[in-house]
Amino acid sequence: RKVPLTKTSNSKLGREETSLRTNSADAVYSRLGPHLAKLEGSLDDNGNSGLFLFPVNDKRLSTILPSPLDEVAGVFHIKAYIIDDELILSGANLSEEYFSNRVDRYISFVHGGGGVVEFYADLCDILSSYSIKYDGQTVNDSTLLSMFSTKDEEDRKRTLEQSLKQLFYEGNKIMDHVYDRTAPNNVVAHAIPTFQVSNRFFRGRSLPFPSDQEATFSLIRTVVKIDPSASIRLSSAYLNLTRSMLSVLTIFGNRKNLHHIPMDSIIRADEETFGVPYVLTAGLTSHGFAPKGGSRAQITGIIERVKASVPEAFITLVKDAALSITASGGKVLMYERPGWTFHAKGIW
């Protein structure tokens, strides 16, 4: 992915800065390279030090489509930062706007987080073992295509699949704590890691453990079963709800959708009123794909025009979702703030 990079150099004339465009791998490596070189071979090097590229995209589409349209072919989306015994799960891509004018979300786990920090450290090691270690050489589409042979890629995916199964299913100590009835009663929350990957990635094979989507749907349904009067609030930067998610959301505030939940599982009185769904998303002004410099920014070229049309396309999706949400008594709200982008995602 092409990104801007500012390089600083010192000369007899003083401090100089030059701007250029390069790919994101080069941009990150230019910053981390000197530090990685010091670490490699030291006592602190566990073999997983370096910059790794996770090949998630559909190779045929990723070589045809420009950024950011290539995301339809697949995208690696995990953002986890671990230092010592602290973990930050974030929405930040570490680009400049994330530290200046973007509204986003994050959660911090400290002192090991009851095993969550170690879990994510193991997850990063597993994903790195599947990935391509980047050595600072220029990466282009043909290079990425030649790094894996078809057989090599399939063998690596089977190893990755087994490693993920071991981590999430067979060796998940976190879930042992969740179900431990002898644990101290001062626990106020449980953090349960989930994982999402397209079935196409593993050649049509489903994950051998519940996906993030399945866990999310189960959580929402359980809430309604336990307390039919509960409301739900969902924040999504891009309101591209699947039909399944929209169906689950409209359980709230809609007695007609009660058939989705077994009646014998509802413990509240039938006459109680249902809560409603509230959805928050980005408006045209604060959309992540809005033209830089505002709506009046000069737009040239086919790719730029396609990018500029993305926010309006999402507004169409928002209007479609609003028909179902408002019919359940809920609301769809759009965040607008000039000069800022909205990227927060979560369910409460």
Side-chain angles (χ1 to χ4, degrees):
R1 172 159 297 182
K2 296 296 182 181
V3 295
L5 174 65
T6 301
K7 288 189 174 182
T8 303
S9 59
N10 294 312
S11 66
K12 294 181 180 180
L13 299 177
R15 189 178 178 89
E16 297 180 352
E17 289 188 350
T18 57
S19 296
L20 53 91
R21 292 189 67 79
T22 182
N23 65 63
S24 52
D26 288 332
V28 174
Y29 193 84
S30 68
R31 299 289 192 246
L32 295 183
H35 304 286
L36 295 173
K38 295 178 182 178
L39 182 62
E40 193 166 352
S42 69
L43 294 177
D44 295 325
D45 186 4
N46 62 0
N48 283 327
S49 300
L51 175 61
F52 296 87
L53 306 180
F54 192 93
V56 69
N57 292 59
D58 181 295
K59 293 176 181 176
R60 294 165 297 178
L61 285 177
S62 62
T63 57
I64 298 173
L65 299 175
S67 169
L69 302 182
D70 56 352
E71 289 192 4
V72 302
V75 60
F76 184 78
H77 212 246
I78 297 175
K79 292 123 179 179
Y81 309 94
I82 303 172
I83 300 176
D84 297 330
D85 63 348
E86 183 171 355
L87 161 71
I88 296 178
L89 296 179
S90 172
N93 290 328
L94 300 185
S95 56
E96 182 178 356
E97 63 184 334
Y98 275 87
F99 300 96
S100 55
N101 59 356
R102 170 155 283 193
V103 178
D104 216 314
R105 80 291 186 198
Y106 76 93
I107 184 169
S108 173
F109 299 91
V110 298
H111 308 306
V116 175
V117 178
E118 183 178 357
F119 184 95
Y120 271 90
D122 290 340
L123 176 61
C124 288
D125 286 343
I126 289 173
L127 298 178
S128 295
S129 66
Y130 171 78
S131 305
I132 303 163
K133 188 169 184 177
Y134 185 61
D135 59 3
Q137 301 299 314
T138 300
V139 173
N140 53 44
D141 295 331
S142 60
T143 305
L144 289 174
L145 286 171
S146 64
M147 283 183 173
F148 281 167
S149 66
T150 303
K151 185 179 185 305
D152 181 35
E153 183 177 17
E154 183 60 27
D155 290 342
R156 283 172 174 262
K157 283 188 176 181
R158 289 192 178 278
T159 301
L160 173 63
E161 186 177 1
Q162 290 302 313
S163 298
L164 290 173
K165 177 181 177 181
Q166 173 65 30
L167 178 65
F168 277 88
Y169 186 66
E170 298 173 354
N172 194 340
K173 304 299 183 185
I174 296 175
M175 293 306 296
D176 292 340
H177 293 302
V178 172
Y179 293 114
D180 184 5
R181 302 303 180 187
T182 64
N185 58 7
N186 60 349
V187 175
V188 296
H190 290 289
I192 303 175
T194 59
F195 193 80
Q196 185 73 33
V197 64
S198 169
N199 285 343
R200 291 179 303 171
F201 185 80
F202 287 124
R203 300 291 191 269
R205 300 188 300 274
S206 300
L207 290 171
F209 52 87
S211 66
D212 178 78
Q213 175 179 289
E214 292 167 334
T216 301
F217 286 2
S218 178
L219 173 64
I220 295 174
R221 291 189 179 102
T222 301
V223 168
V224 180
K225 292 175 183 178
I226 294 176
D227 185 0
S229 65
S231 292
I232 184 171
R233 286 163 171 78
L234 180 144
S235 176
S236 174
Y238 317 118
L239 199 61
N240 49 346
L241 299 177
T242 63
R243 291 185 178 180
S244 299
M245 174 59 82
L246 191 58
S247 176
V248 171
L249 286 177
T250 52
I251 290 175
F252 293 83
N254 193 342
R255 290 180 178 274
K256 291 185 294 184
N257 283 340
L258 196 59
H259 65 272
H260 289 287
I261 311 169
M263 286 301 298
D264 58 2
S265 66
I266 298 178
I267 60 175
R268 294 281 180 148
D270 182 64
E271 62 270 11
E272 286 194 36
T273 58
F274 279 66
V276 292
Y278 296 95
V279 177
L280 176 63
T281 189
L284 281 173
T285 301
S286 297
H287 198 281
F289 288 103
K292 306 305 178 187
S295 58
R296 296 183 179 179
Q298 186 69 25
I299 300 174
T300 59
I302 296 177
I303 302 303
E304 286 73 17
R305 290 180 182 277
V306 171
K307 288 182 181 180
S309 68
V310 171
E312 291 191 10
F314 272 103
I315 291 299
T316 301
L317 295 178
V318 171
K319 291 178 179 179
D320 290 342
L323 293 176
S324 299
I325 299 296
T326 55
S328 297
K331 294 181 179 180
V332 175
L333 308 171
M334 292 186 289
Y335 182 95
E336 295 278 22
R337 183 177 180 183
W340 287 67
T341 56
F342 180 83
H343 200 248
K345 303 164 186 174
I347 298 176
W348 295 265

